[in-house]
Amino acid sequence: MAIRPALTLATTFTKAADGKPATYGLELTNQSDTTVSDFTLCFIAPTRVDLEATFDNATLKRRSSNFVEIAPPDGFVLEPGGRWKTATASLGRDLQHWSDGANAAYLAFADGSTVPIESVPTTLTGDNAPLKRGTEPFPVPGPGKAPAPISVVPWPNLVAIESIGDTPAGLAVQATGEAAKAASVFADLAQSLFPADGLIRPVAEGGLPVSLATDAGQKPEAYRIAFAADHVTVHAGGHAGWLYGLVTLGQILRGARRHPLTFGFPTSGEITDAPAFGWRGSHLDVSRQFYSTAEVQQFLKIMAWNKLNRFHWHLTDDEGWRVEIDAYPELTDIGAWRGHGLPLPPLFGTGAARNGGYYTKEAIRQTVSLAETLAIDVVPEIDVPGHSFAAIVALPWLSDPDETGAYYFHDNFPNACLNPAYEPVYEFVEKMFGELLELFPSKTFHVGADEVPEGAWEGSPLARAMNEKIGGVGPEKLQAAFLRRVQAFLTQNGRITGAWEEAALGGGIDKAHAYLVGWKSVEVSAELAGEGYDIVMAPGQRYYLDMANGAQWSEPGASWAGWSGPEETYTFEPGEGWTEAQREHLWGVQACIWSEHLTDRAIFDRLVFPRLSAIAETGWTAKDKKSWERFKSMAGLLPNLYGYWSE
């Protein structure tokens, strides 16, 4: 077997200065004893070069979204120990953070073979700060310095603790009937998140007796905990309330056990609690990065520990189709995989090898069932009509055969939108949605509707004729007509249509059977609420968890919406300054985890935690009960997903 040459790609970003443009430099080094020739260099980076980019000392051969292929000068040979340097100023956006640069690379040869390359994190000229990964470990205050005597996130509505005593070794939950299910779910949750802590223990091992009592007058997610020296009782109206009460007890116990001189366990008094908002969610983009069923299910458990109750599962996008559809197996046979020579090229941290995956129907059923036990409603999203490149590549007959020309969204993939004037599209959507409705019992079904670009469908005779008929100019009325037809199908099947805020364009969809996720700005969300749309707040400036934690180059993440550290995320108040009429349409809050920059799991842990918990507290805790200092003192006790912590 041939030995692979040892190759390294180092990349550098230099800011514009002294009349010179910003440049992105690449340096390929051959550290082997093998000569390399007749190759092209393929690299992948979140920051795109222009469609017709020019390179010094290289020629652009192909650019497909975030995938770039360049060739050295004719006859170039990379000798052992040799280097090949090239650079470009043709950037769609300046790099702001180290994760903006190339995160995967390989060499490709005419015979179809490839050789992997080690891609070194991009450096900023003049900046040598250590690059950051992993969750920032907020320190727990020392003895007597904590802002609260117990550790709970989100903070409850009313904490009336009368005394603190000895901390029990664990909790011995005693329950029968319907309450027994909540006790079992909590035991599994605690064991999964903190396997060595032994939060659940029998009385024989020092467990404090905990009973679950039924209080029919409580709202579904509310609970009350009554503390006594030798016993604790959780009062709730049903499963969600009992589970949340037990989570609160588990957090109190864990804080007191781990930091006994800072936090304690109550021996008298009570906690009375209920959420501020009914919608407390997190979105997860599994198209740009694929997360296994095990990862998704563990993430659901972390959501439950934070009392989040909506999981917005972003199952499709341009870069990957992630859900099994029996009627159209090509969607996953083709659209779920990326790699060299495949219809979808390598993207977002993946190299030449075939990479990706999808969720079988059985995996989805298991995940939805788990979520239900955790008091989480799973809201599926199939993103249409835009962001449909993976679907169209898999099913090319979805495109109008007479369409000409190309249109792009932010120089992404060409012609990536389902055509509202092409009838086969509706047969596809209704058949595909029909299968999904059987998998997802949620009353809400999200249809995307974001980021259809100007120029969409202008090359389609069918679309031009439809637009002329409905009096449209550009894509907005066409999209609105498409969405109203799709919404009618969902409404007939008893579902509320969810969409991103662009679904209000062109006349919008039926407000009575819809909600919108507001993401561009607080002002747009307020305006839409004033028009009568029900709104879930997810402003990119604060609740998009792919945005970096800070402005520094050393922080990973995206930057188009700015940056938002944990404190900025925590202190943001949804609906602030809204009228009472607008606030009546504010359903709640939602974190959005977009995955373009989450190219390794340590970056995921840094960007998502503890900001996910900060949003959870805003969704649960009344505004006048929030405290950044208190939250910060407890954030270090919260779990992250992969166990990566910043040093």
Side-chain angles (χ1 to χ4, degrees):
M1 184 177 72
I3 298 176
R4 290 175 171 176
L7 298 158
T8 301
L9 178 67
T11 52
T12 305
F13 180 67
T14 304
K15 294 181 179 180
D18 301 324
K20 297 180 180 179
T23 56
Y24 184 53
L26 301 94
E27 181 175 288
L28 179 66
T29 302
N30 184 358
Q31 298 173 317
S32 74
D33 56 4
T34 303
T35 298
V36 183
S37 61
D38 298 322
F39 65 87
T40 58
L41 170 64
C42 303
F43 65 93
I44 301 96
T47 297
R48 301 182 187 120
V49 302
D50 295 338
L51 280 169
E52 298 181 358
T54 58
F55 286 78
D56 298 334
N57 199 32
T59 302
L60 177 66
K61 307 299 288 186
R62 180 186 175 198
R63 204 233 65 176
S64 184
S65 185
N66 299 80
F67 172 85
V68 181
E69 183 175 11
I70 58 176
D74 291 343
F76 178 80
V77 175
L78 187 61
E79 302 284 354
R83 298 180 180 185
W84 169 43
K85 294 183 179 181
T86 181
T88 182
S90 306
L91 299 170
R93 180 185 293 131
D94 281 359
L95 284 68
Q96 301 293 331
H97 303 280
W98 68 266
S99 62
D100 286 332
N103 45 44
Y106 61 94
L107 296 189
F109 299 88
D111 62 0
S113 64
T114 61
V115 172
I117 298 172
E118 178 188 5
S119 183
V120 179
T122 303
T123 58
L124 175 66
T125 301
D127 189 327
N128 297 314
L131 306 183
K132 297 179 180 178
R133 290 184 171 93
T135 302
E136 190 70 35
F138 283 83
V140 174
K145 295 182 179 179
I150 60 173
S151 176
V152 184
V153 175
W155 189 251
N157 266 348
L158 177 63
V159 178
I161 301 303
E162 297 171 359
S163 62
I164 298 288
D166 294 335
T167 299
L171 303 173
V173 183
Q174 303 159 346
T176 59
E178 292 184 7
K181 178 181 178 181
S184 175
V185 170
F186 175 70
D188 291 343
L189 179 63
Q191 175 65 22
S192 180
L193 293 179
F194 312 108
D197 281 23
L199 296 180
I200 298 297
R201 302 187 185 196
V203 173
E205 296 181 11
L208 175 69
V210 177
S211 59
L212 305 185
T214 301
D215 184 349
Q218 293 272 31
K219 293 183 177 180
E221 295 184 310
Y223 65 89
R224 181 173 63 88
I225 303 175
F227 294 93
D230 59 352
H231 191 268
V232 176
T233 303
V234 179
H235 301 264
H239 180 80
W242 284 317
L243 179 62
Y244 289 153
L246 289 171
V247 167
T248 293
L249 278 178
Q251 291 188 2
I252 293 172
L253 174 61
R254 190 164 182 270
R257 286 259 306 276
R258 295 214 162 211
H259 300 275
L261 300 181
T262 300
F263 299 117
F265 195 91
T267 53
S268 64
E270 68 176 29
I271 291 174
T272 304
D273 203 9
F277 289 108
W279 189 292
R280 307 177 309 282
S282 181
H283 151 289
L284 180 64
D285 162 23
V286 300
S287 176
R288 278 57 176 263
Q289 303 291 336
F290 180 69
Y291 303 87
S292 68
T293 299
E295 290 171 283
V296 172
Q297 293 183 357
Q298 189 71 1
F299 182 70
L300 289 172
K301 294 173 184 178
I302 292 176
M303 286 181 61
W305 196 254
N306 286 274
K307 301 187 178 78
L308 293 167
N309 68 352
R310 296 290 192 282
F311 177 54
H312 178 157
W313 205 351
H314 188 85
L315 290 163
T316 71
D317 216 297
D318 291 321
E319 294 85 1
W321 184 282
R322 305 301 187 195
V323 56
E324 182 180 33
I325 302 295
D326 292 336
Y328 305 108
E330 302 94 331
L331 289 171
T332 47
D333 290 347
I334 298 172
W337 305 97
R338 305 193 296 247
H340 183 73
L342 297 180
L344 287 172
L347 297 166
F348 302 123
T350 60
R354 183 174 183 261
N355 180 277
Y358 64 93
Y359 306 103
T360 66
K361 288 189 171 182
E362 181 56 30
I364 288 175
R365 291 187 187 100
Q366 292 175 3
T367 301
V368 170
S369 177
L370 171 66
E372 182 181 2
T373 70
L374 297 171
I376 296 172
D377 185 34
V378 179
V379 179
E381 180 188 353
I382 302 297
D383 202 348
V384 290
H387 289 292
S388 294
F389 187 76
I392 293 170
V393 164
L395 303 172
W397 53 264
L398 286 174
S399 297
D400 175 2
D402 296 323
E403 185 170 8
T404 60
Y407 59 86
Y408 294 84
F409 176 76
H410 287 179
D411 284 347
N412 200 352
F413 294 106
N415 301 4
C417 302
L418 299 178
N419 192 327
Y422 191 48
E423 195 61 28
V425 163
Y426 295 98
E427 178 184 352
F428 162 71
V429 169
E430 292 186 6
K431 189 175 290 186
M432 177 261 297
F433 277 17
E435 290 193 29
L436 294 173
L437 293 176
E438 296 178 0
L439 290 174
F440 295 97
S442 174
K443 288 296 183 183
T444 54
F445 191 106
H446 201 286
V447 300
D450 60 318
E451 298 183 328
V452 170
E454 286 296 324
W457 310 304
E458 288 181 357
S460 164
L462 290 173
R464 290 199 303 269
M466 181 177 176
N467 224 7
E468 183 176 348
K469 182 178 179 180
I470 63 178
V473 176
E476 291 184 359
K477 283 197 173 184
L478 286 172
Q479 168 166 287
F482 170 87
L483 293 174
R484 285 193 291 269
R485 183 164 168 180
V486 170
Q487 182 187 31
F489 172 81
L490 292 173
T491 302
Q492 289 168 7
N493 284 275
R495 306 303 171 95
I496 295 171
T497 300
W500 302 102
E501 64 188 43
E502 289 95 325
L505 299 173
I509 55 179
D510 179 9
K511 301 180 181 71
H513 300 95
Y515 77 93
L516 302 181
V517 181
W519 66 275
K520 287 187 177 180
S521 71
V522 174
E523 292 76 16
V524 171
S525 294
E527 180 180 341
L528 292 172
E531 294 175 9
Y533 285 101
D534 292 324
I535 298 293
V536 172
M537 288 286 284
Q541 297 79 7
R542 290 291 178 261
Y543 283 3
Y544 269 35
L545 299 188
D546 56 321
M547 295 300 121
N549 277 295
Q552 301 87 354
W553 177 265
S554 58
E555 289 283 4
S559 58
W560 62 262
W563 62 270
S564 184
E567 183 174 2
E568 288 78 14
T569 300
Y570 182 88
T571 55
F572 171 75
E573 287 300 330
E576 189 166 28
W578 290 22
T579 66
E580 190 61 36
Q582 288 172 321
R583 288 188 63 83
E584 288 179 1
H585 290 285
L586 180 55
W587 278 15
V589 297
Q590 179 171 292
C592 286
I593 303 173
W594 298 100
S595 294
E596 290 95 330
H597 282 74
L598 307 185
T599 51
D600 70 49
R601 295 330 196 206
I603 294 177
F604 186 104
D605 275 350
R606 181 163 193 85
L607 293 180
V608 174
F609 307 102
R611 293 191 296 182
L612 182 73
S613 300
I615 296 169
E617 180 146 311
T618 295
W620 184 280
T621 306
K623 177 182 176 180
D624 62 348
K625 301 287 176 57
K626 287 177 62 179
S627 163
W628 164 248
E629 291 302 319
R630 184 188 61 235
F631 175 85
K632 183 172 65 172
S633 75
M634 304 168 185
L637 287 162
L638 297 167
N640 64 15
L641 186 55
Y642 297 105
Y644 289 101
W645 295 87
S646 180
E647 297 178 357

